[in-house]
Amino acid sequence: MADISTIYMGIRLTSPIIVGASTFSRKIDNIKRAEDSGAGALVIYSLFQEQIEIERNELEDELRANEEAFPEALTYFPQMEHAGPREHIMWVEKTRKEVKFPLIASLNAISLGDWIEYAKQLENAGCDALELNLYAVETDPTVSSEDIEERQLDVVEAIVATAAIPVAVKLSPFYTSLPNFVDSVIAAGAAGVVLFNRFYQPFIDPLKEELDIRLDLSRSEDTRLPLRWIAILSEWATADFAASTGVHTAFDVARHLLAGAKAVQCVSTLYNHGLDYIGEMNLELSRWMDGKGYKNTENFRGKMSQKNLRDPYAFERAQYVKALLEYKQG
Ligand SMILES: Cc1cc2nc3c(=O)[nH]c(=O)nc-3n(C[C@H](O)[C@H](O)[C@H](O)COP(=O)(O)O)c2cc1C
């Protein structure tokens, strides 16, 4: 049977399937089940910069005192009162004792601050790597894309300087020049790049005229976006890529490895099918590899990256033009 193991940021994973950051990691039973069903690693749900800063600056008290002025800020992070950074570190320590497979801690951040030292604490809690999720919704028209990128790169550099374990950066697809920013993130010391985080998009319920804050799960088609970029970027980028968003089946895993990814992260598909589904995907992946005559993942990784395709524009605009022109008429 084919060997489905992979090396991601220098860490050997028995499977390329990583359980992405999600509420699964809020229960030890789930984490054990992920390990038992053959996940290569698991990303623990994020510690948010705001959680750390709220505790550090006693912002909460301040907000209470100013409730009149900032009522929205109090509801913005409603559960943080009960979920401080110390509890988070303790949770990571506890998790580390319960399972043996690689654990990746996640920091969700927007700007520099004292909170950076938590990278070290997460490392000391026993994590094998860190994932830095740069999730920002910039609404200030005076802030340029250059300002945002500089701010984010400062955070990457500071985290890399603080932690001795490898750091992956999880990005959104919303950069004017994604290749340029990925290049800068790698120059700042990232060992891994996770494409992409999935932005929470608020919706409006027109009947109630209220905000609808449900999270929608992804679909398999959504994986085309990270697939394109992994195929393009893995051509030259020196970091390891992990796909996130829309990885729902063993074929999706195969697609991403063919494009050049070292690993994939799954969340939505595991909410749909349960954590045991990882075992099924592993089996299907190895069956597919057997059928193709691949003994290990390196035999075919990147085989369909932009560089390795005969058509040098395969993942670029030319294909879009071709697809539109060739679509059936009526
Ligand atoms: C319920 C839920 C909780 C999540 N929590 C986090 C989180 O704490 N940190 C993070 O970086 N991403 C988080 N995500 C995003 C996922 O890690 C992942 O990037 C996204 O769901 C896309 O992958 P998918 O298509 O496999 O669902 C969460 C997603 C869901 C659905």
Side-chain angles (χ1 to χ4, degrees):
M1 198 172 244
D3 172 9
I4 62 168
S5 68
T6 185
I7 309 279
Y8 175 54
M9 297 194 287
I11 303 164
R12 187 175 175 279
L13 313 184
T14 54
S15 157
I17 301 173
I18 298 173
V19 178
S22 58
T23 52
F24 282 121
S25 46
R26 289 182 182 269
K27 279 197 183 150
I28 293 289
D29 277 357
N30 288 337
I31 299 170
K32 284 184 174 167
R33 176 158 269 185
E35 180 174 47
D36 292 345
S37 57
L42 173 138
V43 186
I44 297 173
Y45 61 90
S46 296
L47 175 59
F48 292 83
Q49 175 179 349
E50 291 87 346
Q51 273 174 285
I52 302 170
E53 288 176 343
I54 280 173
E55 185 162 290
R56 165 104 10 109
N57 307 329
E58 291 172 352
L59 187 62
E60 224 175 347
D61 289 346
E62 224 176 282
L63 288 173
R64 277 226 175 77
N66 295 303
E67 205 161 335
E68 293 288 297
F70 307 107
E72 75 284 7
L74 269 182
T75 49
Y76 191 59
F77 293 107
Q79 73 289 58
M80 291 198 173
E81 209 174 339
H82 309 289
R86 273 185 236 111
E87 286 87 341
H88 191 93
I89 302 288
M90 280 159 62
W91 180 250
V92 175
E93 283 168 352
K94 181 175 160 64
T95 306
R96 179 68 290 168
K97 288 190 189 117
E98 300 279 349
V99 287
K100 293 205 167 51
F101 72 157
L103 290 175
I104 302 171
S106 167
L107 280 163
N108 202 313
I110 37 174
S111 58
L112 271 179
D114 289 348
W115 66 271
I116 296 272
E117 76 185 55
Y118 273 86
K120 195 77 202 164
Q121 297 202 33
L122 288 165
E123 177 184 343
N124 293 341
C127 287
D128 300 275
L130 284 176
E131 187 172 286
L132 175 64
N133 185 345
L134 295 173
Y135 186 127
V137 180
E138 189 57 66
T139 53
D140 181 346
T142 66
V143 176
S144 71
S145 52
E146 207 175 8
D147 296 336
I148 298 169
E149 292 185 7
E150 258 175 41
R151 191 176 68 200
Q152 296 190 337
L153 288 171
D154 285 347
V155 177
V156 179
E157 267 173 23
I159 295 278
V160 169
T162 306
I165 50 178
V167 176
V169 179
K170 188 177 186 183
L171 299 176
S172 83
F174 307 118
Y175 290 88
T176 306
S177 171
L178 185 73
N180 180 270
F181 190 63
V182 166
D183 191 34
S184 306
V185 157
I186 295 170
V193 180
V194 183
L195 301 180
F196 292 107
N197 57 28
R198 199 156 176 265
F199 265 31
Y200 154 70
Q201 312 281 12
F203 216 33
I204 288 176
D205 180 333
L207 295 177
K208 294 185 189 157
E209 297 192 3
E210 279 175 4
L211 269 190
D212 180 350
I213 56 159
R214 265 173 310 170
L215 266 179
D216 288 325
L217 297 181
S218 68
R219 297 164 307 153
S220 188
E221 302 87 274
D222 297 329
T223 218
R224 289 169 181 240
L225 184 64
L227 187 75
R228 158 189 270 175
W229 284 111
I230 288 171
I232 291 172
L233 300 174
S234 63
E235 183 177 334
W236 51 262
T238 49
D240 289 346
F241 285 90
S244 171
T245 295
V247 183
H248 280 240
T249 64
F251 272 8
D252 288 337
V253 183
R255 286 185 175 103
H256 280 288
L257 296 179
L258 283 165
K262 287 280 182 98
V264 299
Q265 297 192 356
C266 295
V267 171
S268 291
T269 197
L270 303 178
Y271 282 118
N272 289 338
H273 300 287
L275 287 159
D276 293 343
Y277 185 57
I278 298 165
E280 280 178 50
M281 285 202 287
N282 280 342
L283 197 63
E284 265 187 62
L285 177 66
S286 64
R287 281 202 191 118
W288 172 80
M289 286 169 63
D290 286 340
K292 292 278 181 187
Y294 299 134
K295 291 201 162 31
N296 59 57
T297 50
E298 282 309 306
N299 286 164
F300 65 100
R301 203 175 58 75
K303 187 177 174 186
M304 297 200 64
S305 70
Q306 170 102 317
K307 176 180 67 178
N308 290 330
L309 290 183
R310 251 175 291 150
D311 176 356
Y313 304 110
F315 290 97
E316 296 183 18
R317 183 179 154 85
Q319 291 301 316
Y320 155 74
V321 176
K322 190 164 176 259
L324 291 196
L325 293 178
E326 288 179 2
Y327 195 75
K328 64 176 180 191
Q329 297 174 22

